[in-house]
């Protein structure tokens, strides 16, 4: 049975969270099939950007969120698990973010189908992909509607007193090899250096994805490899910061305003960079197609830097005006 939280919202049951994981598993299976089977990918309506830019990110981001949600299920009934109320809200939010990313990807795929992208090459496999897209959309929509019943009220994250590190410590204590890591000092270090952890995790993810792409496509241009690594790194760093703000994976201590402005501007710049990568051919103002790697590098990250700088100004100028009026 569901328990009632102090906010008046019911905590999602293990069955509901399991349904979220099942929907994410279906999404991931069909996505990997459509993107990694070459004959199928060749007739997929969403094989090219801007649609593929969404898939290339979410096919890694969705299983990452699924893994941490599954971790919560492993310690759900543990009598010594800390923060039961916080856990319920955080798990619901993480599952919601996971399904929201899947829904965004499905919307991009439907857009490519409606636009009949590559229609001349469509065949039976294309029909299979569209059928899978329809089933995937139905399942994701139903599970999202079910999860919505357990949505935590807005602003409730400000009252969380626990994060997911307590669950990590609890699991490490049960595994002899990892027991040495299950110390409050280690969790405290992670909380104080959360951005460093996010950068390290993003670097690992970006390195693996870039290496797989470069080897699979037999890239020989170092600048092209560096460009993709930088794109993936910034995308996953923004994902880590935003996902942490939504689901409270790591409880971060209070930070100076300047650092908060820098981090939010970094996120804005990263999102702008990824959008520019997806829509680069539409946004490129040049008369000739955008094919030069140095030009692609400068254009995509130039837009990202401009967006980040604009975000800094938008945050600092109002504050400066308030101080001048107060003085």
């Amino acid at each position: 049975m569901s328990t009632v939280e102090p906010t008046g919202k019911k905590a999602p049951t293990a069955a509901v969270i399991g349904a979220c994981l099942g929907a994410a598993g279906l999404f991931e299976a069909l996505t990997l099939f459509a993107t990694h089977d070459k004959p199928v990918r060749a007739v997929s309506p969403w094989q090219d950007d801007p649609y593929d830019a969404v898939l290339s990110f979410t096919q890694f981001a969705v299983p990452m969120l699924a893994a941490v949600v599954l971790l919560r299920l492993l310690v759900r009934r543990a009598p010594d698990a800390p923060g039961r109320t916080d856990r319920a809200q955080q798990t619901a939010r993480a599952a919601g973010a996971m399904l929201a990313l899947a829904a965004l990807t499905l919307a991009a795929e439907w857009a490519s189908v409606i636009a009949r992208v590559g229609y001349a090459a469509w065949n039976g496999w294309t029909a299979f992909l569209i059928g899978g897209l329809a089933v995937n959309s139905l399942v994701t929509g139903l599970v999202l509607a079910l999860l919505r019943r357990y949505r935590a009220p807005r602003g409730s994250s400000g009252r969380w007193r626990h994060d997911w590190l307590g669950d990590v410590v609890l699991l490490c204590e049960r595994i002899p090899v990892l027991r040495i890591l299950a110390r409050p000092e280690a969790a405290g270090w992670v909380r104080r250096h959360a951005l460093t952890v996010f950068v390290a995790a993003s670097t690992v993810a970006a390195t693996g994805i870039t290496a797989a792409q470069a080897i699979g496509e037999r890239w020989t241009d170092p600048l092209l490899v560096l460009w993709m690594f930088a794109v993936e790194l910034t995308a996953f760093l923004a994902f880590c910061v935003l996902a942490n703000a939504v689901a409270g994976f790591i409880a971060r201590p209070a930070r100076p305003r300047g650092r908060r402005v820098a981090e939010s501007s970094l996120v804005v710049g990263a999102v702008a960079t990824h959008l520019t990568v997806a829509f680069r051919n539409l946004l490129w103002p040049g008369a000739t197609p955008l094919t030069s790697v140095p030009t692609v590098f400068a254009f995509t990250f130039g837009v990202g830097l401009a967006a980040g700088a604009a975000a800094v100004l938008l945050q600092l100028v109002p504050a400066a005006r308030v101080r001048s009026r107060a003085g």
Side-chain angles (χ1 to χ4, degrees):
M1 294 180 63
S2 300
T3 58
V4 179
E5 301 299 328
T7 57
K9 292 282 185 175
K10 293 190 298 182
T13 64
V16 172
I17 300 301
C20 295
L21 292 173
L26 175 63
F27 165 82
E28 189 68 14
L30 292 176
T31 298
L32 291 178
F33 177 68
T35 55
H36 289 75
D37 188 290
K38 290 187 177 181
V40 175
R41 180 179 174 84
V43 296
S44 168
W46 48 83
Q47 62 178 293
D48 298 320
D49 289 335
Y51 319 104
D52 185 62
V54 181
L55 271 74
S56 64
F57 174 74
T58 55
Q59 68 176 322
F60 297 103
V62 167
M64 288 179 183
L65 288 173
V68 293
V69 171
L70 181 60
L71 180 147
R72 273 281 160 101
L73 287 184
L74 293 176
V75 298
R76 183 182 181 90
R77 298 185 180 278
D80 53 345
R84 288 183 175 274
T85 299
D86 292 348
R87 178 186 292 104
Q89 294 182 0
Q90 292 166 351
T91 305
R93 287 194 175 195
M98 175 181 67
L99 294 181
L101 287 175
L104 175 64
T105 306
L106 297 174
E109 293 175 352
W110 277 119
S112 70
V113 173
I114 295 172
R116 294 191 172 188
V117 177
Y119 181 73
W122 287 14
N123 60 18
W125 279 120
T126 310
F128 176 83
L129 291 177
I130 296 175
L133 174 60
V135 174
N136 209 344
S137 301
L138 177 62
V139 171
T140 301
L142 290 175
V143 177
L144 269 173
L146 178 63
L147 185 65
R148 186 178 176 83
R149 297 172 51 195
Y150 305 95
R151 185 182 61 179
R154 292 182 180 179
S156 62
S157 60
R159 297 194 294 270
W160 288 338
R161 292 177 298 171
H162 301 86
D163 58 17
W164 299 58
L165 292 179
D167 292 2
V168 175
V169 170
L170 193 62
L171 285 177
C172 288
E173 288 177 344
R174 299 174 181 177
I175 304 174
V177 178
L178 301 179
R179 193 168 295 162
I180 190 174
L181 301 176
R183 299 190 179 189
E185 296 83 4
W189 186 93
V190 171
R191 292 187 180 101
R192 293 190 304 272
H193 301 85
L195 187 61
T196 300
V197 174
F198 295 154
V199 171
S202 301
T203 301
V204 172
T207 300
I209 295 170
T210 303
Q213 181 73 12
I215 294 173
E217 299 295 331
R218 298 182 180 179
W219 288 351
T220 57
D221 189 341
L223 186 60
L224 178 60
V225 175
L226 178 61
W227 173 77
M228 181 173 179
F229 172 78
V231 169
E232 296 294 340
L233 174 62
T234 55
F236 278 104
L237 181 57
F239 166 72
C240 288
V241 174
L242 291 174
N244 190 68
V246 170
F249 299 118
I250 300 175
R252 307 183 65 184
R255 304 181 302 284
R257 174 175 170 76
R259 183 168 178 177
R260 296 198 307 270
V261 169
E263 287 186 13
S264 60
S265 300
L266 175 64
V267 171
V268 171
V271 173
T273 299
H274 206 70
L275 289 175
T276 305
V277 171
F279 296 96
R280 60 188 180 276
N281 292 325
L282 294 176
L283 297 175
W284 174 241
T288 58
L290 186 59
T291 56
S292 169
V293 175
T295 305
V296 171
F297 200 119
F299 177 58
T300 53
F301 282 98
V303 173
L305 287 173
V312 171
L313 294 176
L314 288 175
Q315 294 176 85
L316 293 183
V317 170
R321 288 178 178 174
V322 170
R323 286 195 297 270
S324 63
R325 291 175 182 175

